[in-house]
Amino acid sequence: MKSLIAQSHSLSDPAVQLDVINNHTEKIKSFDKFEDKLENIGLHPLKPTGIEIFQINVGYMCNMTCKHCHVDAGPDRKEIMTKETLQQCLGALKDSDIDTVDLTGGAPEMNPHFRWFVDEVSKLGKHIIVRSNLTILDTRKFEDLPKFMADRGVEITCSLPFYSKRRTDIQRGEGTYDKSMKVLKLLNEIGYGKEDSGLMLNLVYNPVGAFLPGDQESLKQQYKERLWKDHGIVFNDLFTITNLPISRYLNFLVESDNLEEYMEKLITSFNPSAAMGVMCRNTISIGWDGSLYDCDFNQMLKMKTNHGAPDHIKDWDLEKLNNREIVTDQHCFGCTAGAGSSCGGAVT
Amino acid sequence: MDKTYYNPEDLKKFGNVSDFQEKLGKKFFDYYGAVFEEGALTAREKSLIALAVAHAVQCPYCIDAYTEDTLEKGCSEEQMMEAVHVATAIRGGASLVHGVQMMNKVDKLSM
Ligand code: SF4
Ligand code: SF4
């Protein structure tokens, strides 16, 4: 499977994506607007509560091409953050009390400066989270990385869309499940996910299809039981994430004729307390070219930080960013449906 | 789409049944809500039972609703199909066990 960009697919254009989620059918056009929903609960314009998490997307290159990928990542994507931009990130981090640095991609491990950067960030005493797809750690080039990350106390958060092989492989490609189990066992062997080791290993669940994630606690228990019983695998936490209607997941929704119903479901499940806790309120997202965004989803829609806040890391200004207005559109309903969704799972 | 007696859109209007009889409608929905709360059975187990019963009573609305609900609750395809087989076994068994009544009657009527 190729990325949408490599296919020259119309949905690789963020403007087309925004048009589709706003205007694809007459019914979609009539749906409530996210801004109005915020207005009704006194939350418009949406403002940050203070940046606590510095999420860096170090590149769109990935060894996989999952069907639902909101990044449209894949082996054919060449966008990679340069060392110069990473230096600028370090500069911004040095002078701030932001304590968590969250590295994502693509496969963040594939950035050629990954190891150097992790070292530099850990020297600053910041907590590091790496979002790993697991399978990358099963390749020769990266097989020493688990130990490298363990030595620096890096928290690993990895995607495992389901505890069964069938659904995992449908979404992420044949063979993903078996490789993931192999890597999880290896991570367990070096202490990840074990109580008292201090090495955090979290899993990310996201629905394999056009439905919402269920209760996070109940899914966590199911994963714990099944992975332990079937494979002897342990982990710390499980985060449930809702698929946002953008990029390849949007393509799936359109092609399977699920878009209208999915949008309706997101909108009717709008939860004011989830809206209070959306992750853009305590996170800033840095794109591979140094551009600043309110979140990784806005990044993929090329909606940069706005309303007087700087939109590039070279102009970093924590004060201004903490007081910015967050840019939103209809995709945001994905973060506020039901129990809510963020990189750290449900928000209520 | 061809017109049929069942329209998937009608599922969303289920709550409207209270329009014609508010008191009883409310009682039903309160009861319904309470039944599906986490109890001695988990919400997930209840959803699987509902999926099985939906097949036994062949309600297309409930089949749609509880297919989605069991997926959301993290049930696997295997578990969902096993629930349908439980419904099938009981439905089939319920017919077949009456065969004993038929046999008794045959015995009584036969020389
Ligand atoms: S979902 Fe993650 S692992 Fe899959 S293609 Fe996208 S970035 Fe890569
Ligand atoms: S999509 Fe981004 S901007 Fe919109 S609510 Fe979610 S985190 Fe905030």
Side-chain angles (χ1 to χ4, degrees):
Chain A
M1 189 177 158
K2 284 180 173 175
S3 66
L4 294 175
I5 277 210
Q7 296 172 42
S8 306
H9 196 292
S10 63
L11 282 178
S12 64
D13 178 351
V16 175
Q17 293 180 43
L18 285 169
D19 186 48
V20 167
I21 57 176
N22 277 283
N23 305 310
H24 194 56
T25 61
E26 284 310 310
K27 194 165 175 193
I28 285 177
K29 272 188 205 167
S30 74
F31 285 158
D32 290 344
K33 294 290 166 206
F34 188 70
E35 287 203 353
D36 295 337
K37 285 277 200 185
L38 288 184
E39 186 88 56
N40 292 344
I41 57 165
L43 213 58
H44 186 72
L46 192 61
K47 305 277 280 180
T49 47
I51 299 173
E52 293 162 28
I53 301 169
F54 195 92
Q55 186 174 67
I56 314 177
N57 192 318
V58 296
Y60 302 160
M61 192 184 283
C62 190
N63 58 322
M64 302 179 84
T65 3
C66 308
K67 279 195 195 133
H68 73 306
C69 185
H70 75 272
V71 181
D72 194 24
D76 56 54
R77 296 299 298 264
K78 305 294 178 226
E79 298 90 335
I80 281 282
M81 190 176 268
T82 62
K83 196 162 181 181
E84 189 193 353
T85 309
L86 288 164
Q87 291 274 17
Q88 289 171 343
C89 290
L90 286 173
L93 283 167
K94 228 173 251 165
D95 303 326
S96 82
D97 50 12
I98 295 174
D99 61 6
T100 302
V101 178
D102 185 340
L103 299 178
T104 187
E109 299 94 331
M110 290 177 90
N111 183 300
H113 314 294
F114 179 81
R115 290 162 207 253
W116 164 80
F117 188 69
V118 167
D119 260 337
E120 293 303 306
V121 178
S122 69
K123 278 186 215 156
L124 293 177
K126 310 278 183 196
H127 178 62
I128 306 171
I129 301 170
V130 168
R131 294 193 181 262
S132 180
N133 66 23
L134 289 173
T135 63
I136 187 84
L137 300 174
D138 188 40
T139 52
R140 184 155 299 163
K141 196 168 167 200
F142 299 100
E143 64 187 9
D144 63 317
L145 261 189
K147 177 83 174 52
F148 171 89
M149 293 194 277
D151 290 345
R152 286 147 189 85
V154 171
E155 176 173 341
I156 303 183
T157 295
C158 24
S159 336
L160 186 67
F162 204 50
Y163 56 69
S164 77
K165 182 173 163 66
R166 183 173 185 272
R167 247 184 252 172
T168 300
D169 285 359
I170 283 178
Q171 184 175 85
R172 301 176 82 80
E174 200 55 41
T176 301
Y177 185 79
D178 292 340
K179 278 187 200 161
S180 303
M181 293 306 122
K182 188 175 158 200
V183 173
L184 285 173
K185 276 184 204 159
L186 191 134
L187 289 169
N188 277 172
E189 271 164 30
I190 60 172
Y192 269 105
K194 296 253 166 87
E195 239 169 273
D196 305 328
S197 71
L199 293 172
M200 295 294 288
L201 175 65
N202 305 315
L203 299 183
V204 173
Y205 161 93
N206 66 278
V208 183
F211 54 96
L212 297 184
D215 178 65
Q216 185 164 280
E217 204 43 46
S218 152
L219 281 161
K220 180 163 108 185
Q221 287 320 319
Q222 289 176 57
Y223 265 69
K224 289 228 165 190
E225 276 168 31
R226 289 297 300 264
L227 292 185
W228 174 249
K229 204 166 137 247
D230 299 348
H231 306 280
I233 288 168
V234 292
F235 61 93
N236 297 101
D237 222 339
L238 176 108
F239 305 137
T240 56
I241 292 192
T242 304
N243 291 311
L244 261 66
I246 65 173
S247 196
R248 291 214 286 266
Y249 185 69
L250 176 59
N251 185 38
F252 153 74
L253 291 173
V254 172
E255 283 189 348
S256 60
D257 195 22
N258 273 305
L259 179 65
E260 208 174 78
E261 269 190 58
Y262 190 71
M263 288 305 292
E264 190 173 19
K265 178 125 201 180
L266 292 181
I267 295 168
T268 51
S269 316
F270 179 82
N271 175 356
S273 40
M276 298 283 289
V278 283
M279 65 180 164
C280 47
R281 302 192 80 191
N282 70 352
T283 307
I284 192 83
S285 153
I286 299 99
W288 67 275
D289 63 353
S291 297
L292 301 180
Y293 303 89
D294 301 295
C295 70
D296 205 52
F297 303 111
N298 282 6
Q299 180 177 153
M300 301 316 147
L301 291 169
K302 295 208 161 66
M303 296 162 59
K304 292 187 192 180
T305 44
N306 203 339
H307 308 290
D311 66 4
H312 196 278
I313 189 75
K314 67 177 164 30
D315 305 316
W316 179 258
D317 181 332
L318 188 56
E319 172 75 19
K320 275 193 188 150
L321 286 162
N322 270 336
N323 288 295
R324 76 192 191 276
E325 278 179 26
I326 292 162
V327 186
T328 60
D329 208 310
Q330 293 302 80
H331 64 292
C332 296
F333 277 116
C335 296
T336 56
S341 177
S342 77
C343 280
V347 301
T348 59
Chain B
M1 208 229 271
D2 291 341
K3 280 217 184 307
T4 66
Y5 281 103
Y6 288 113
N7 177 359
E9 287 293 311
D10 286 347
L11 178 57
K12 291 174 199 148
K13 300 184 204 150
F14 187 15
N16 298 358
V17 297
S18 301
D19 291 355
F20 282 6
Q21 224 300 3
E22 201 182 335
K23 204 166 123 212
L24 294 179
K26 187 176 176 310
K27 274 186 195 290
F28 172 80
F29 286 112
D30 284 350
Y31 168 76
Y32 192 101
V35 165
F36 283 97
E37 274 168 17
E38 199 90 14
L41 294 173
T42 63
R44 182 169 169 277
E45 287 163 338
K46 289 179 182 181
S47 188
L48 279 168
I49 294 172
L51 182 70
V53 175
H55 283 78
V57 300
Q58 288 178 305
C59 171
Y61 301 116
C62 297
I63 292 175
D64 271 3
Y66 284 95
T67 298
E68 187 165 348
D69 196 60
T70 42
L71 281 172
E72 286 189 359
K73 293 204 160 56
C75 301
S76 66
E77 289 84 344
E78 213 182 346
Q79 291 165 336
M80 290 157 69
M81 192 53 93
E82 281 184 22
V84 174
H85 278 292
V86 171
T88 307
I90 295 295
R91 268 186 81 126
S95 293
L96 203 53
V97 73
H98 285 81
V100 176
Q101 188 177 339
M102 176 268 285
M103 290 163 80
N104 290 342
K105 188 75 178 169
V106 168
D107 279 351
K108 183 157 190 249
L109 296 178
S110 302
M111 290 178 81

